[in-house]
């Protein structure tokens, strides 16, 4: 790098200021580590994000992490929907596996918060410094919005990056938090195991006449998967998974026809249903990076593990990962050690893979079982549901993950 050119020096350069990148910068800042957040979106879009229809089911452990980052206190109580339990149905059968049906009002199974609200709170919680500073102090965060990396080069002691604006950055560590389709991960040369599920997911808030009793439903019918996430007493987020062709037809329906169709898909169990917001569609792709680290490089959030949303773990696992990495970096800094040593990065990778690989594999297995409508799979899932209902360990495993506390 030409020494005569102005260079901005930070400890960590983070590509992607989604909920994970924002929380990671926040966690680093609390450890006295400086960082630069680089995102292709304008700051205004991060400050006040548009609705993307996602309702994020947060575990207790996630709520505790968000609390430590001063994000949870910025989520208004009215925006937190408590989930008392969950029911899993198969086909037209009225039999349901009930998960934590006894969770009380004060001890809910989990909590649902719109993704837009989490992103807004994560942005607000992050302390910012002047974007012009070329050498931020300990714990200060610099912003580069509407920017992407043009190229970067990794050396023994640092990573040198050039932004599309031409600005040069010198960092100890480069972290990719730029989604499951991460271009930074690709530029790092890290391959992924990618699973195209051949289906699209629709999410849409709906009003309904009958109450849901603060219970989430997961309903595996034939040719469709339906879920219901409780918001208000008479409002839920409906999640519908269909083939791309069927999804096109669904989205082409008039509002009245859409409402009638969803009411009918739920078998009238919630009475008449009416659209409360615009539907959003997501093509379903899961990814698992072959490595989570490289020389002075790390992946966090969906860039490392892009989960299928059916088990609602993506953000929860991402939060665990960013806390893990920020703690390791903070400890190294406190001891005057390299914050991106290969041993530190390998430890992050080992622990985060242990935490994510079993859930990623289990989620793929569930998706495979419940999207296969051939007779053997149908019989197997009926058996799994009944076995799960009878076997407390199975339900405890599912409920335990949702209710887990980090203590
Ligand atoms: C329908 C649905 C429901 C879900 N429900 C749950 C749930 O209940 N519980 C749960 O735990 N998880 C859930 N998830 C998963 C959760 O939403 C994700 O895990 C989480 O959003 C990942 O955050 P992220 O910051 O890693 O990535 P993203 O949210 O994808 O953010 C990436 C950021 O990177 C920026 N960016 C991208 N490319 C570049 C680039 N080249 N240069 C600069 N910036 C770039 C983008 O502008 C964006 O700001 C759900 C997901 C979906 C789709």
């Amino acid at each position: 790098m030409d020494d005569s050119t102005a260079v901005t020096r930070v400890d960590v350069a983070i590509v992607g200021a989604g909920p994970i990148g924002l929380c990671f910068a926040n966690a680093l800042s609390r450890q006295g580590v400086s960082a630069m957040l680089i995102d292709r979106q304008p700051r205004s879009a991060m400050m006040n994000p548009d609705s993307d229809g996602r309702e994020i089911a947060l575990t207790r452990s996630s709520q505790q992490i968000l609390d430590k980052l001063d994000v949870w206190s910025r989520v208004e109580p009215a925006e937190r929907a408590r989930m008392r339990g969950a029911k899993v149905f198969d086909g037209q059968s009225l039999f349901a596996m009930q998960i934590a049906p006894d969770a009380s009002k004060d001890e809910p199974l989990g909590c649902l918060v719109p993704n837009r609200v989490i992103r807004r709170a994560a942005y607000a919680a992050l302390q910012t410094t002047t974007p012009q500073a070329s050498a931020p102090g300990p714990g200060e965060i610099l912003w580069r919005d509407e920017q992407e990396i043009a190229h970067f080069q990794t050396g023994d002691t640092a990573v040198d990056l050039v932004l599309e604006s031409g600005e040069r950055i010198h960092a100890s560590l480069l972290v990719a938090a730029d989604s499951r389709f991460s271009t930074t991960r690709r530029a790092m040369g890290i391959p992924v195991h990618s699973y195209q599920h051949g289906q699209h997911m629709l999410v849409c808030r709906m009003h309904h006449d009958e109450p849901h009793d603060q219970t989430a439903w997961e309903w595996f019918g034939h040719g469709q998967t339906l879920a219901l996430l409780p918001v208000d007493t008479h409002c839920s987020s409906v999640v519908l998974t269909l083939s791309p062709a069927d999804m096109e037809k669904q989205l082409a329906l008039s509002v009245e026809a859409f409402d009638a169709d969803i009411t009918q898909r739920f078998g009238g169990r919630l009475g008449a249903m009416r659209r409360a917001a615009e539907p959003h569609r997501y093509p379903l792709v899961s990814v698992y990076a072959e490595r989570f680290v490289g020389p002075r490089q790390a992946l966090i959030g969906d860039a490392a593990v892009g989960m299928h949303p059916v088990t609602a773990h993506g953000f929860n696992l991402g939060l665990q990962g960013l806390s893990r990495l920020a703690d390791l970096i903070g400890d190294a800094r406190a001891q005057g050690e390299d914050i991106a040593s290969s041993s530190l990065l390998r430890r992050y990778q080992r622990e985060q893979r242990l935490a994510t690989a079993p859930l990623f594999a289990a989620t793929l297995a569930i998706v495979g079982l419940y999207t296969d409508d051939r007779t053997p799979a149908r019989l197997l899932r009926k058996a799994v549901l009944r076995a799960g209902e009878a076997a407390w360990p199975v339900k405890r495993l599912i409920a335990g993950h949702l209710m887990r506390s980090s203590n």
Side-chain angles (χ1 to χ4, degrees), residues 277-299:
E278 278 301 303
H280 293 260
R281 177 214 326 220
Y282 293 91
L284 291 173
V285 181
S286 312
V287 300
Y288 200 90
E290 279 189 18
R291 291 181 279 115
F292 291 180
V293 299
R296 300 202 166 269
Q297 299 163 357
L299 310 179

Side-chain angles (χ1 to χ4, degrees), residues 15-21 38-41 54-57 115 119 147-149 177-180 183-184 201 203 282 300-303 309 312-317:
V15 187
I20 293 296
I38 304 155
D39 201 288
R40 54 161 67 132
Q41 293 187 75
R54 299 184 204 184
E55 307 286 338
I56 304 294
N115 196 38
R119 293 181 62 191
Q147 277 301 320
E148 294 193 30
I149 293 181
D178 52 347
S179 86
R180 66 188 62 203
T183 51
T184 311
M201 180 175 272
V203 285
Y282 293 91
I300 58 173
D302 277 16
H313 288 316
F315 182 60
N316 290 301
L317 293 176

Side-chain angles (χ1 to χ4, degrees), residues 43-124:
R43 284 276 282 279
S44 54
M46 292 177 244
M47 202 181 303
N48 202 3
D50 289 336
S51 172
D52 56 14
R54 299 184 204 184
E55 307 286 338
I56 304 294
L58 292 168
T59 61
R60 289 212 199 127
S61 156
S62 293
Q63 291 166 40
Q64 287 167 348
I65 294 172
L66 293 174
D67 198 31
K68 278 190 202 148
L69 299 178
D70 198 20
V71 174
W72 193 235
S73 60
R74 293 165 197 271
V75 175
E76 296 290 331
E79 306 270 24
R80 309 172 189 173
R82 283 163 178 254
M83 210 165 46
R84 282 186 51 236
K87 287 182 186 174
V88 185
F89 298 91
D90 184 39
Q92 295 307 313
S93 165
L94 290 176
F95 178 81
M97 178 167 79
Q98 311 231 8
I99 296 166
D102 301 327
S104 72
K105 207 173 164 207
D106 300 325
E107 193 79 351
L109 181 62
C111 198
L112 285 164
V113 178
N115 196 38
R116 171 185 54 85
V117 171
I118 295 175
R119 293 181 62 191
R120 192 179 58 206
Y123 179 89

Side-chain angles (χ1 to χ4, degrees), residues 159-402:
V159 191
D160 291 306
L161 306 98
V162 179
L163 301 187
E164 284 186 337
S165 63
E167 182 179 1
R168 289 165 178 256
I169 322 291
H170 188 80
S172 297
L173 176 67
L174 170 62
V175 174
D178 52 347
S179 86
R180 66 188 62 203
F181 306 108
S182 172
T183 51
T184 311
R185 179 184 63 211
R186 197 177 320 132
M188 290 170 170
I190 300 180
V192 287
H193 300 285
S194 175
Y195 304 84
Q196 308 278 341
H197 298 291
Q199 290 193 310
H200 285 189
M201 180 175 272
L202 174 146
V203 285
C204 180
R205 276 197 177 192
M206 308 271 306
H207 294 302
H208 41 80
D209 290 344
E210 302 300 326
H212 44 49
D213 202 22
Q214 295 304 125
T215 303
W217 296 9
E218 189 101 44
W219 192 354
F220 300 99
H222 304 154
Q224 66 171 12
T225 303
L226 271 178
L228 186 92
L229 304 171
V231 182
D232 278 339
T233 312
H234 291 278
C235 182
S236 300
S237 173
V238 165
V239 184
L240 172 64
T241 306
L242 293 173
S243 70
D246 287 343
M247 190 61 82
E248 284 301 328
K249 290 184 205 152
Q250 187 72 26
L251 289 168
L253 294 175
S254 67
V255 174
E256 295 73 25
F258 182 93
D259 291 352
D261 177 87
I262 298 289
T263 303
Q264 188 257 325
R265 283 181 191 274
F266 276 91
R269 290 177 193 208
L270 288 165
M273 300 178 75
R274 292 166 301 282
R275 196 193 273 194
E278 278 301 303
H280 293 260
R281 177 214 326 220
Y282 293 91
L284 291 173
V285 181
S286 312
V287 300
Y288 200 90
E290 279 189 18
R291 291 181 279 115
F292 291 180
V293 299
R296 300 202 166 269
Q297 299 163 357
L299 310 179
I300 58 173
D302 277 16
V305 182
M307 297 280 290
H308 189 296
V310 72
T311 49
H313 288 316
F315 182 60
N316 290 301
L317 293 176
L319 274 180
Q320 282 178 28
L322 73 87
S323 312
R324 188 166 274 132
L325 184 56
D327 285 350
L328 289 171
I329 291 173
D331 289 350
R333 183 180 185 279
Q335 286 162 26
E337 293 170 359
D338 183 359
I339 63 163
S341 67
S342 58
S343 60
L344 181 155
L345 294 175
R346 277 202 311 273
R347 179 166 168 197
Y348 159 68
Q349 167 168 273
R350 191 172 58 247
E351 293 178 0
Q352 188 61 5
R353 288 180 90 82
L354 266 177
T356 55
L359 276 169
F360 188 83
T363 301
L364 282 186
I366 289 172
V367 171
L369 183 61
Y370 284 102
T371 51
D372 185 346
D373 280 333
R374 287 170 299 178
T375 307
R378 276 158 58 175
L379 292 175
L380 181 59
R381 63 192 186 219
K382 278 197 199 317
V384 166
L385 274 192
R386 288 187 187 269
E389 179 57 26
W392 281 104
V394 175
K395 293 201 290 186
R396 270 212 297 271
L397 187 78
I398 303 172
H401 179 79
L402 276 172

